[in-house]
Amino acid sequence: PSKNWKGLKKVNDEIVAWVKIDGTKIDYPVLEHIGDDADNQFYLYRNYKKEYSDFGSIFVDYRCTQSVKSKNLILHGHNMGSDDSMFGQLMNYARKDGRTKGNPEYYKKHPVITIDTPEGTQEFVVFSVMKIDVSNKLQNIFNYLKADFDSDAQFMNFVYNIKVRSYLDVEVPINEKDNLLTLSTCSYETDNMRTIVVARQVRENEDIAPYLKTAKSGSPVTIATSTF
């Protein structure tokens, strides 16, 4: 349950965390390469040994200037298709009977994402799954790749936009003091579609069981921008 961080750092000092969702294949080291930008993501096609790999690695978005302590920690991973490796199983949160639809049954079995770091372990409860086309041809795309915020109001508006776009409707309360975790992977509905699972850090001594009972399939809006 706890990682040998001294040993992991000897393998690669750019291993900064470990992400796991119980009952799934998602159980991987998280890499962060200083110097990444919009055009270059070092671990997009490199494994944890820095060797070329079609699978790549799970890695921290370059916008997370506070690394794993960012207000919204954003992690990317490939969707490897038929074998569901890397972040492929994120698709199941919004896939049911072969259709794109919120899957509360799957959610209730896998509601928590665990992030282990050298500083300790944090749990996050999932509250949203979105499908967003990031094609450059579209205008006013909702920018879910935002790690830091200028104000509490901006953060809460960001949360609102995530909730109204969700294929899952889960009554997880969120306030300005909470931290988020965003997992993003490619979808294949269109060339530029992404499936995004967003979770809120579990508070101290918090019981999440009541939230799971509220989970149902959601009806995401398609508007480009909105405000709470």
Side-chain angles (χ1 to χ4, degrees):
S2 60
K3 299 294 181 289
N4 177 1
W5 283 104
K6 185 176 180 180
L8 285 171
K9 289 293 186 180
K10 286 182 179 179
V11 174
N12 186 341
D13 63 3
E14 292 189 319
I15 299 175
V16 295
W18 199 282
V19 59
K20 179 178 175 64
I21 302 179
D22 285 340
T24 76
K25 292 183 179 181
I26 298 175
D27 188 6
Y28 298 109
V30 176
L31 286 295
E32 181 177 33
H33 183 70
I34 303 302
D36 275 2
D37 56 32
D39 299 315
N40 299 282
Q41 292 88 45
F42 186 84
Y43 287 103
L44 186 63
Y45 291 109
R46 288 184 175 91
N47 64 20
Y48 68 95
K49 296 180 180 180
K50 300 184 181 181
E51 301 166 339
Y52 177 85
S53 169
D54 286 338
F55 288 74
S57 295
I58 307 303
F59 63 93
V60 178
D61 188 276
Y62 70 90
R63 300 169 185 82
C64 294
T65 57
Q66 302 302 311
S67 186
V68 295
K69 296 182 179 180
S70 295
K71 184 73 169 174
N72 179 27
L73 172 59
I74 306 165
L75 305 182
H76 298 281
H78 285 300
N79 173 6
M80 297 310 295
S82 60
D83 73 349
D84 278 340
S85 60
M86 305 312 287
F87 273 173
Q89 287 186 295
L90 295 181
M91 303 288 288
N92 293 330
Y93 287 101
R95 183 169 57 194
K96 188 174 183 181
D97 301 326
R99 298 167 51 211
T100 298
K101 184 179 181 181
N103 191 338
E105 290 78 16
Y106 184 86
Y107 167 77
K108 290 175 183 178
K109 294 178 181 177
H110 313 285
V112 172
I113 306 169
T114 301
I115 297 290
D116 193 23
T117 71
E119 287 73 38
T121 301
Q122 301 170 341
E123 291 188 332
F124 294 79
V125 56
V126 174
F127 69 90
S128 175
V129 55
M130 300 180 289
K131 300 276 187 178
I132 293 181
D133 187 327
V134 297
S135 171
N136 291 331
K137 296 179 181 179
L138 299 181
Q139 300 294 319
N140 298 321
I141 301 171
F142 170 59
N143 180 22
Y144 70 95
L145 296 173
K146 192 167 182 61
D148 300 297
F149 303 87
D150 296 330
S151 66
D152 291 343
Q154 186 184 60
F155 174 73
M156 292 306 299
N157 195 66
F158 181 77
V159 170
Y160 170 81
N161 275 272
I162 290 171
K163 285 192 170 187
V164 298
R165 287 169 169 79
S166 180
Y167 282 86
L168 282 173
D169 184 358
V170 189
E171 295 179 13
V172 175
I174 302 175
N175 63 41
E176 66 277 4
K177 296 180 181 179
D178 289 318
N179 294 323
L180 304 182
L181 170 66
T182 296
L183 309 185
S184 178
T185 192
C186 289
S187 297
Y188 299 106
E189 296 91 348
T190 64
D191 290 341
N192 295 288
M193 188 70 77
R194 301 290 184 270
T195 292
I196 305 107
V197 172
V198 189
R200 188 262 283 163
Q201 186 174 347
V202 176
R203 301 164 184 167
E204 187 174 358
N205 299 320
E206 184 178 23
D207 180 12
I208 67 167
Y211 311 150
L212 307 190
K213 295 178 182 179
T214 70
K216 58 185 178 181
S217 183
S219 300
V221 301
T222 57
I223 52 178
T225 58
S226 57
T227 185
F228 72 97

